[in-house]
Amino acid sequence: MANIPKTETIEKVASVYEKTGSISETALQSELSRTKVRKILITEGLWSSGRSRQIQELSERGKTSSEIAQILDISVTMVQNYRPYEKGLYYESSKSGTAVRSEKYRKRNRSYAKKKSSISTQQIRIANGEQKDSSPDEKNTQFAMHLHLQLRQSQLDSLSPHQAKILSKYGGVSKSISRDIIVPSSLALHQLHFLINVAFGWTNSHLHSFQLPDLLFQKLTDGKLVQIAPVFGYYLKFPSSIFNDSFWDDDYDESKSPRTWMRSKYLKRYKYKGFSDYWIENQVQIHDLGIHFPILNVYPLRWNEKRKVRKVKFEEATLQDVLGAISFPEGMPDILKENLRLHEILSLTPEDIESAKAAALATHKSEIQLYKKYRDLSIENSKRPEGYLDMSAFTRMERIRKKAEPKNIKPVTSELLYSYDFGDGWEIDISLVEEFGKGNRKINNEIAEKVIADRKPVCIAKDGLNVLDDCGNIYGYIDMLRTIHEDNPYEALEMREWARGQGWTGRDVKPKNLI
């Protein structure tokens, strides 16, 4: 039998809605999205509209979501948003530590939204006094990059004529939703994550990742895992079960707007304060995995495959074998580590992937066991009673870690993929367009000169209004625009109130003011 939302979730939503009569207010008080609240209310028979009744009637006739969408000339996403729940809500299942932290941030974000009516974001200054001096290596690699960021599935020529018309007319899109920015080459990928959120209208409320193009990833990870292990912590990040620090700087405290807080993340000098992105930590993670799983039961990656389960020795296993045998609660081993600087991964003349892989595999490995010894001691010490403090093991662990960390990492691509909110499935293609001042070459661009001098990214062009969280990707966003501008007044008002609660204004901001 299909799962259903937990009873306490349903009861809370029903109770709040009975008191307020507003889906938007219920969503705010229940700390759920407006779409989820509406689906629960529809499921419980507490709310309906002309649209939901149409969808329900066609569903009772046995029509599929795709058929209903075609009959009503709406998207499949909208049909699903107005259908009762058949399966449990994804957030009711067990969450990883990272997902829990993400939800905590969203809760604080919503708390701020309740207060912000009396606060002007222009009144809050970004602190500049906490910046750190550049390292010698950073000073030698200072140049600027022009990046083109394009939201997948937003090209007008890839949409139906009706969808393209709505996105163009109400979303201000000429070709596709995109941003062009000039950024310092020393910007870390983690900083770029915050910049992208601000540039497209998101609020760091969901999980995210950066990935290499598929072909490069396949070449980089081809071979047995124990042989290619050094690429993890060099370019890629192996899922950590010990140091769950994907949200390294989740320090939002409601003293400023979420947007201002996110801007501070990419305007300041950046120093990684976690563990799981470091090379030697990645090597220990893979080493420990081999100890716990000396023999892997490798299942077919596709459920419909009829092949039998294979038993594979860990030292003989490929990365694909590992993925077919082990479920990683903290992500997949196909994402880039985010303390990489842009100049360490992006270039218009990237290193040949085989040469880059060879350089990674040649990384010095002799001190892995010694690091593991002091690392395990540090972890044990951290579990001792309060008041006990022995930093000697941690100090030695850190000394080895710093010595082992790879230097002069060579860029391997001119393109990356950024993914945000794995439920809605937003994806952005990142393309390097131009490099300014690389190799001390003369700069003939005033904006690039200013970016290098001030270390502040600048948006030079944009296409389309901002999108927003929890709207259901581009098709849900189009439905939102249609509802606000073309639906009946009640539906339009409800949708606009919900969008405002998500931080969406519908205003067209000039590129220079966007980030």
Side-chain angles (χ1 to χ4, degrees):
M1 185 176 66
N3 293 326
I4 59 172
K6 284 187 177 180
T7 302
E8 53 264 36
T9 302
I10 297 172
E11 290 177 349
K12 182 175 182 179
V13 168
S15 175
V16 174
Y17 182 71
E18 286 176 359
K19 294 175 182 176
T20 65
S22 166
I23 289 179
S24 298
E25 184 62 29
T26 303
L28 186 63
Q29 293 189 30
S30 302
E31 298 181 354
L32 302 172
S33 74
R34 185 180 181 276
T35 300
K36 291 184 177 71
V37 166
R38 182 170 58 196
K39 282 178 72 71
I40 290 174
L41 294 175
I42 290 173
T43 304
E44 294 300 297
L46 298 175
W47 182 91
S48 68
S49 67
R51 177 72 73 195
S52 71
R53 288 190 291 272
Q54 282 181 313
I55 292 171
Q56 182 63 24
E57 182 181 343
L58 290 169
S59 179
E60 290 173 354
R61 292 184 199 171
K63 301 294 183 183
T64 65
S65 293
S66 298
E67 290 170 336
I68 295 172
Q70 189 172 9
I71 293 169
L72 298 180
D73 192 24
I74 58 179
S75 74
V76 173
T77 301
M78 187 171 186
V79 173
Q80 293 170 342
N81 286 346
Y82 278 84
R83 295 188 75 168
Y85 273 114
E86 295 178 356
K87 295 183 178 181
L89 306 180
Y90 75 94
Y91 55 82
E92 295 287 11
S93 61
S94 59
K95 302 178 183 178
S96 69
T98 301
V100 170
R101 271 182 286 196
S102 178
E103 176 56 27
K104 284 172 65 180
Y105 172 77
R106 296 182 67 189
K107 183 175 181 179
R108 291 198 296 273
N109 196 9
R110 286 189 290 266
S111 175
Y112 178 85
K114 296 177 183 178
K115 303 175 182 178
K116 74 174 184 178
S117 58
S118 62
I119 302 175
S120 169
T121 54
Q122 280 95 7
Q123 294 173 340
I124 304 173
R125 291 187 177 182
I126 297 171
N128 292 315
E130 299 177 16
Q131 297 184 354
K132 300 182 182 294
D133 291 333
S134 303
S135 66
D137 178 64
E138 190 175 324
K139 289 178 180 177
N140 292 332
T141 55
Q142 269 301 317
F143 57 97
M145 294 178 164
H146 172 188
L147 303 181
H148 178 68
L149 314 174
Q150 179 169 287
L151 194 63
R152 283 191 178 180
Q153 301 179 306
S154 69
Q155 297 94 326
L156 296 185
D157 59 10
S158 69
L159 299 168
S160 71
H162 181 61
Q163 290 170 331
K165 181 180 178 181
I166 290 175
L167 192 58
S168 174
K169 183 177 181 180
Y170 304 126
V173 178
S174 299
K175 293 182 179 180
S176 65
I177 300 176
S178 64
R179 309 289 186 252
D180 282 83
I181 57 176
I182 296 180
V183 298
S185 63
S186 60
L187 204 73
L189 285 181
H190 192 59
Q191 292 176 291
L192 183 60
H193 150 68
F194 288 109
L195 193 156
I196 290 173
N197 268 244
V198 171
F200 283 86
W202 296 313
T203 58
N204 185 41
S205 298
H206 297 279
L207 304 181
H208 70 276
S209 67
F210 289 92
Q211 292 170 295
L212 289 169
D214 286 342
L215 184 59
L216 288 182
F217 174 76
Q218 290 167 13
K219 289 182 177 179
L220 191 63
T221 58
D222 183 40
K224 297 176 182 177
L225 178 60
V226 292
Q227 294 172 340
I228 64 165
V231 304
F232 292 96
Y234 200 93
Y235 292 112
L236 303 173
K237 174 182 176 180
F238 204 78
S240 173
S241 59
I242 299 296
F243 299 110
N244 183 14
D245 53 6
S246 295
F247 276 56
W248 306 318
D249 41 6
D250 186 15
D251 54 3
Y252 179 58
D253 61 4
E254 302 182 28
S255 64
K256 60 189 75 171
S257 75
R259 176 183 171 85
T260 299
W261 175 77
M262 287 191 291
R263 290 186 76 235
S264 73
K265 293 301 177 184
Y266 59 80
L267 291 178
K268 292 179 182 179
R269 299 272 197 259
Y270 180 75
K271 184 176 181 180
Y272 175 48
K273 298 178 181 179
F275 290 94
S276 58
D277 269 21
Y278 285 125
W279 178 84
I280 202 165
E281 179 60 36
N282 277 252
Q283 305 314 299
V284 171
Q285 289 290 333
I286 296 173
H287 176 273
D288 286 351
L289 193 70
I291 293 175
H292 286 95
F293 298 96
I295 302 295
L296 298 175
N297 293 317
V298 181
Y299 293 82
L301 290 179
R302 295 184 179 86
W303 289 107
N304 57 359
E305 289 185 21
K306 296 182 179 179
R307 294 186 311 180
K308 294 181 178 179
V309 175
R310 295 183 293 118
K311 290 191 177 294
V312 180
K313 292 181 179 180
F314 186 82
E315 59 267 24
E316 297 294 326
T318 65
L319 181 60
Q320 289 301 308
D321 289 335
V322 173
L323 293 178
I326 298 171
S327 176
F328 293 96
E330 293 298 333
M332 293 286 282
D334 63 348
I335 64 175
L336 290 164
K337 64 174 194 169
E338 292 190 22
N339 67 343
L340 282 172
R341 307 283 175 171
L342 294 183
H343 66 78
E344 294 178 314
I345 192 66
L346 287 174
S347 174
L348 290 177
T349 55
E351 183 87 1
D352 175 74
I353 192 65
E354 294 298 341
S355 299
K357 181 176 179 179
L361 299 187
T363 306
H364 192 55
K365 311 176 186 67
S366 63
E367 293 189 299
I368 293 175
Q369 289 301 323
L370 191 58
Y371 169 86
K372 175 175 168 53
K373 171 186 174 182
Y374 291 120
R375 167 193 183 266
D376 292 346
L377 280 173
S378 297
I379 292 172
E380 284 301 314
N381 287 340
S382 70
K383 298 175 182 177
R384 292 180 180 245
E386 259 184 72
Y388 179 88
L389 186 63
D390 180 1
M391 293 295 292
S392 59
F394 181 78
T395 301
R396 293 182 182 182
M397 162 190 155
E398 277 288 274
R399 189 180 300 128
I400 298 169
R401 193 271 304 161
K402 290 178 181 178
K403 182 180 177 181
E405 191 64 13
K407 307 293 191 300
N408 301 317
I409 299 173
K410 302 297 183 183
V412 292
T413 182
S414 61
E415 298 178 342
L416 295 174
L417 173 65
Y418 172 80
S419 301
Y420 174 75
D421 184 356
F422 304 146
D424 275 3
W426 296 102
E427 293 181 321
I428 289 178
D429 288 306
I430 302 171
S431 303
L432 176 59
V433 178
E434 193 170 356
E435 296 167 325
F436 304 96
K438 186 177 182 180
N440 295 318
R441 288 193 293 269
K442 185 177 180 181
I443 304 173
N444 295 313
N445 184 297
E446 291 183 5
I447 296 177
E449 285 183 335
K450 185 170 178 58
V451 167
I452 294 172
D454 298 344
R455 293 179 51 83
K456 292 183 179 181
V458 174
C459 182
I460 58 174
K462 62 181 282 289
D463 189 357
L465 304 179
N466 277 351
V467 292
L468 69 166
D469 285 296
D470 298 328
C471 67
N473 204 304
I474 192 66
Y475 303 107
Y477 176 63
I478 291 171
D479 283 334
M480 186 199 82
L481 293 174
R482 183 204 59 77
T483 300
I484 288 174
H485 294 282
E486 295 182 355
D487 215 327
N488 66 67
Y490 175 76
E491 289 280 353
L493 179 61
E494 282 278 304
M495 184 64 81
R496 187 177 290 277
E497 286 180 357
W498 172 79
R500 284 174 178 166
Q502 297 289 88
W504 188 84
T505 65
R507 292 194 295 269
D508 190 10
V509 180
K510 293 180 179 180
K512 66 178 182 180
N513 298 325
L514 191 65
I515 59 175

